[in-house]
Amino acid sequence: MNIALIFYIIGRVLQIEAVFLLPSCAVALSYGEWQGWVYLGVAAAAALAGQLICMRKPKNMTFLTRDGFAAVSLSWLVLSAVGALPLRLCGDIRSYTDALFETISGFTTTGASILTDVEALSYSSLFWRSLTHWIGGMGVLVFLLAIVPMHGGTHMQLMRAESPGPSVGKLVPRVRSTAKILYLIYLGLTATEVILLLCGGMPLFDSLTLSFGTAGTGGFAPKNTSVAGYSPYLQWVITIFMIMFGVNFNIYFLLLMRRFRDVAKNDEFRSYLLIILTSVALIVWNLIRSGTAIGMAFGDTLRHSAFQVASIMTTTGFSTIDFDLWPELSKTILVLLMFIGACAGSTGGGLKVSRIVILCKNGLNELRSYVHPRSVRKLKMDGKTLDDGVSRSVGVYFFTYMLIFTVSLLILCRDGMNFSTNFTAVAATFNNIGPGLSLVGPTMNYYSYSALAKYTMMFDMLAGRLELYPMLLLFYPALWWEKGFSKKHL
């Protein structure tokens, strides 16, 4: 393993984090808060540590898949550990474990919180916790590839380890150019949302923090009521942008290139929109039929339904209403959407729509084989034949996903919470959503869980955001004690 290069990447990540900490200093200055000095001190320490680590550039800038996975997982751990420091040192969160939970929840765009009163935080901390969503949405190492020239090496390994989905390809021949295109699209969509929210009368601070949360599909809001206190126009804007950020960013590249036929043929994109429309229609029907929507105009019922479907499907986690009070059918649909998640190559979490489509097509092919045993049917996506390795990897991923989910659920059950709370807590953190049901519902939080349960959910949040394997690889002994390991790797 190329340890020298991994440390070099971690050093660069610390330098980038130092830069991202500075806007919170500016926010503190504008609001006259002393906490800005804490953020400035942590930024200076991170920059110094990063500079010391990067002073000695590795001679060998080439790394393999395992090196890329290890670099990504370790970078996210360091990023979170440092990012939690200002929250703890400012006194906004009194326990480092809780501060780390909040920060990992931010960077992994989960939105699960231990805070009982969000509005009690300083403006600088509110801004930082929302900014972590925006940083983690596209990925800090994708940002690194976009701005820092790293000659030599297989940089695609970093992007594959950090980007969500079964497979990641280059939009253009150069990886660095691909990273730039992705971030330009990301920045453009974020800026557009900020402008539209400002046009609706939302304050600048709220527009920025909510746009960061929407872009990263995170869910941290500056208000205790999440998005419930804003106007219908503002809620519709956020709904639309949550759906947009749940789309594979390759779709936007294809639209910019005027390749509309490729967009129309995209199985995942069509399935994503179909699932959203069907879910909204079912929930609206269920709310009206059950009497839950009595006294509520149809437009309001449609708005709340569309908002919550978009929020859960894209794993954002904002809320306009306490959906834990909805009928069982509506809640069940939302729980199912937690597992499906957004599109591959988006900022959303979950299993991803592409994997669900592949699993369904595999199931249909298996049924056809019983009716026509001699027929040979190839699995196709977007009109192209899928490699057998992709189908196999999706099956293995699903098994690993269910194994981690089961173990996490058993650990959380030790705390004595009810099953609905524990099940949706794991589902919400593992799929990077945020709110669950019952005691971790949209009006509740994760504060009551024990330290062991919180660290379990922290692992789940990181594993869910990094597609399982980068985090699991850290516990694989052969990564650290491979045969033939020698000083040349240092």
Side-chain angles (χ1 to χ4, degrees), residues 144-202:
L144 175 66
L145 292 174
I147 65 169
V148 179
M150 296 177 64
H151 304 291
T154 314
H155 302 139
M156 198 64 196
Q157 307 299 349
L158 283 177
M159 188 173 287
R160 282 183 178 139
E162 194 174 46
S163 300
S167 61
V168 178
K170 294 183 284 186
L171 302 180
V172 291
R174 290 173 60 93
V175 175
R176 191 180 178 196
S177 299
T178 297
K180 284 183 178 179
I181 291 170
L182 289 173
Y183 253 100
L184 284 173
I185 294 171
Y186 191 49
L187 184 60
L189 288 174
T190 306
T192 303
E193 184 183 0
V194 171
I195 293 170
L196 290 175
L197 292 177
L198 288 172
C199 290
M202 184 180 285

Side-chain angles (χ1 to χ4, degrees), residues 334-353:
L334 293 179
V335 171
L336 291 175
L337 293 179
M338 288 182 182
F339 289 94
I340 296 172
C343 296
S346 70
T347 60
L351 280 167
K352 307 296 182 298
V353 175

Side-chain angles (χ1 to χ4, degrees), residues 169-332:
K170 294 183 284 186
L171 302 180
V172 291
R174 290 173 60 93
V175 175
R176 191 180 178 196
S177 299
T178 297
K180 284 183 178 179
I181 291 170
L182 289 173
Y183 253 100
L184 284 173
I185 294 171
Y186 191 49
L187 184 60
L189 288 174
T190 306
T192 303
E193 184 183 0
V194 171
I195 293 170
L196 290 175
L197 292 177
L198 288 172
C199 290
M202 184 180 285
L204 177 61
F205 183 85
D206 292 16
S207 298
L208 287 171
T209 51
L210 286 172
S211 294
F212 292 154
T214 308
T217 61
F220 281 156
K223 304 292 184 183
N224 289 326
T225 55
S226 190
V227 188
Y230 298 102
S231 69
Y233 164 81
L234 296 174
Q235 291 177 4
W236 273 118
V237 169
I238 294 171
T239 300
I240 292 168
F241 274 90
M242 284 192 293
I243 294 171
M244 291 178 68
F245 280 107
V247 172
N248 190 324
F249 275 57
N250 287 359
I251 295 293
Y252 298 121
F253 178 77
L254 294 174
L255 289 173
L256 290 173
M257 295 295 104
R258 299 180 181 274
R259 291 164 58 180
F260 304 116
R261 288 185 179 179
D262 291 337
V263 174
K265 290 191 301 182
N266 190 281
D267 289 336
E268 183 185 40
F269 181 56
R270 288 183 298 167
S271 300
Y272 173 71
L273 294 179
L274 180 62
I275 292 170
I276 289 176
L277 291 173
T278 304
S279 300
V280 172
L282 285 173
I283 290 177
V284 168
W285 171 81
N286 184 230
L287 292 178
I288 294 174
R289 188 173 183 274
S290 66
T292 307
I294 290 178
M296 189 184 300
F298 177 79
D300 292 335
T301 304
L302 177 62
R303 171 167 49 85
H304 290 307
S305 301
F307 189 97
Q308 291 312 146
V309 166
S311 180
I312 299 300
M313 178 80 176
T314 62
T315 71
T316 305
F318 287 139
S319 62
T320 58
I321 198 169
D322 187 1
F323 55 80
D324 196 26
L325 301 176
W326 283 1
E328 291 304 316
L329 175 60
S330 296
K331 289 194 291 185
T332 301

